[in-house]
Amino acid sequence: MQKTLYITSNGRLRRKDNTLYFETETEKRSIDIENIEQIHIFGEVDLNTKALNYISQYGIILHFYNYYGFYAGSFMPRKKNVSGDVVVRQALHYLDREKRIFLAYCFVESAVYHMMRNLRERKEAEAFLNAIEDEWENGRFNISSISELMGLEGRVRNIYYSSFNQFLPEDFYMEKREKRPPTNPINALISFGNSLIYSTVLTEIYHTQLDPSISFLHEPSEKRFSLSLDISEIFKPLVVDSVIFKLLNNRQITLEHFDEDLNYCYLNQEGRRIFINELRNKLETTVRHRQLNRNVSYKGYIRLECYKLIKHFIGDQVYSPLKAWW
Amino acid sequence: MFVIVTYDVNEKRVNKVRKILKKYLTWVQNSVFEGEITYGKLEKCKRELFSVIEKDEDSVYFYEHSCNERK
């Protein structure tokens, strides 16, 4: 299992002794470069081309986040797995309206399934669960365009988020979901978690033949690698939300882990550390896969989604999105 | 799998061995490394080490720690 490295402190990444060192003012640490798959950088980190060249030899992806913890961009080494054939077929599925709606529907279906799964165990959220079910069952069979699907998804998501107030600590009351910038702690947590999952999915896509910019639910023109937005939909409720619930309900993250300013709110360094740690544990948790008959981590399931998409594109097996059965 | 590696190598080569191990594992103490590693990576690491050490003078020990698979 390739590891993910998260750097939250300030320092310098450098190549030395044929491996990578992370140096801060007080300590110097060597990194076992052979086992690293991706590095998320939150602190102020210096690095030079010598380090970048070495990193790219190992196919390691660097993800950068700005001061507020928002995703800034990635350094991706030259792609080793390229297949024009897969990309062309992927594009064909975008161009064909029916085929595109099918895939977009799959992503939303799985997302809704996981949202309902999150609420199912909670007594307090029963009314909301029923409301989501009604909305979804009524809407899902009359979808004729992507925008209608997006609208339905938005409505479901609104109900879902409003149910949070029922079972999360009172400190974390949320009027509504707000992004850019998040104005209260819970929104800050959701945004931070989503940007982490987004780049994790991007890393997994990178290791397959898929083209991250051709997407189905989101418009490919959305300025980002939108395929990873599509796939993230599946894992946002499954991974990020359950991490948030756990951290808040166990009071591992409290209001003191947030810096609040006039109009916005974000996690401070300590809060980020706690969150990242829990997310890392979650992504490394394994569940037995029924067909493969071996244990697969949550991160592994992200990769498997990519493989399933490739199989769908080349006409091998029709895509069916992940629905957590455990 | 989780391994612990210790070595006793002639001073002339000790740095070479250390530098190789650093790529794969985390340093814990002088002459001791540990960490999570895959089977394939470990073989690759061993091969690199064998090209450096003198078999009749140096020794490298690999201990595999087999804990039950984490949940």
Side-chain angles (χ1 to χ4, degrees), chain A residues 57-308:
Chain A
Q57 269 179 33
Y58 287 91
I60 295 170
I61 300 176
L62 299 181
H63 298 292
F64 298 98
Y65 299 83
N66 70 11
Y67 179 74
Y68 301 103
F70 295 117
Y71 176 70
S74 308
F75 168 75
M76 292 204 257
R78 180 179 57 88
K79 221 174 142 117
K80 283 184 186 140
N81 281 331
V82 281
S83 160
D85 191 40
V86 170
V87 177
V88 168
R89 285 163 190 268
Q90 190 185 345
L92 282 177
H93 278 261
Y94 168 74
L95 289 170
D96 186 309
R97 222 177 74 96
E98 288 293 308
K99 286 178 176 169
R100 180 178 171 196
I101 290 186
F102 170 77
L103 282 170
Y105 176 81
C106 281
F107 294 131
V108 175
E109 189 192 20
S110 170
V112 173
Y113 180 87
H114 289 139
M115 284 186 233
M116 294 205 281
R117 182 173 178 271
N118 278 345
L119 298 187
R120 206 157 281 147
E121 304 127 34
R122 300 177 192 280
K123 256 208 177 99
E124 308 93 314
E126 214 176 285
F128 293 94
L129 185 64
N130 292 333
I132 291 179
E133 222 160 349
D134 282 348
E135 186 75 50
W136 176 240
E137 290 300 329
N138 285 330
R140 65 186 234 179
F141 293 114
N142 329 304
I143 291 160
S144 53
S145 70
I146 298 285
S147 53
E148 276 176 45
L149 183 64
M150 288 280 238
L152 177 62
E153 194 246 340
R155 289 197 297 280
V156 167
R157 199 168 282 267
N158 274 341
I159 307 174
Y160 174 65
Y161 281 132
S162 57
S163 75
F164 281 20
N165 293 331
Q166 299 295 314
F167 54 82
L168 289 184
E170 272 173 29
D171 292 348
F172 290 92
Y173 188 81
M174 165 167 69
E175 286 281 336
K176 63 173 195 296
R177 174 84 178 105
E178 280 159 334
K179 305 166 208 171
R180 273 174 276 165
T183 50
N184 57 27
I186 181 84
N187 274 314
L189 275 176
I190 297 173
S191 292
F192 184 63
N194 287 352
S195 56
L196 274 169
I197 205 83
Y198 168 73
S199 44
T200 306
V201 171
L202 187 58
T203 305
E204 298 304 319
I205 293 176
Y206 170 84
H207 289 291
T208 68
Q209 285 83 355
L210 293 172
D211 186 313
S213 56
I214 304 174
S215 61
F216 304 93
L217 177 60
H218 297 84
E219 287 299 330
S221 52
E222 254 174 310
K223 297 183 228 172
R224 297 229 257 172
F225 285 143
S226 39
L227 183 63
S228 70
L229 297 178
D230 279 7
I231 299 177
S232 301
E233 290 296 329
I234 298 175
F235 293 94
K236 267 150 50 175
L238 185 63
V239 176
V240 178
D241 295 349
S242 56
V243 166
I244 292 175
F245 297 160
K246 186 177 173 199
L247 289 174
L248 294 189
N249 284 328
N250 292 345
R251 318 230 174 241
Q252 279 166 280
I253 282 191
T254 55
L255 286 186
E256 64 190 57
H257 292 113
F258 293 89
D259 286 336
E260 245 173 296
D261 223 310
L262 195 55
N263 283 320
Y264 52 84
C265 176
Y266 50 89
L267 271 170
N268 63 22
Q269 204 182 32
E270 182 56 26
R272 265 180 219 168
R273 245 181 222 153
I274 298 172
F275 191 89
I276 288 169
N277 232 335
E278 194 56 43
L279 189 80
R280 189 216 320 254
N281 286 341
K282 185 81 185 175
L283 285 172
E284 281 172 12
T285 309
T286 58
V287 179
R288 191 137 197 104
H289 192 285
R290 289 185 294 192
Q291 276 94 47
L292 293 178
N293 213 17
R294 65 178 168 88
N295 287 334
V296 177
S297 64
Y298 277 78
K299 215 170 93 192
Y301 280 103
I302 302 179
R303 178 80 64 91
L304 287 180
E305 284 306 295
C306 300
Y307 290 151
K308 281 199 279 187

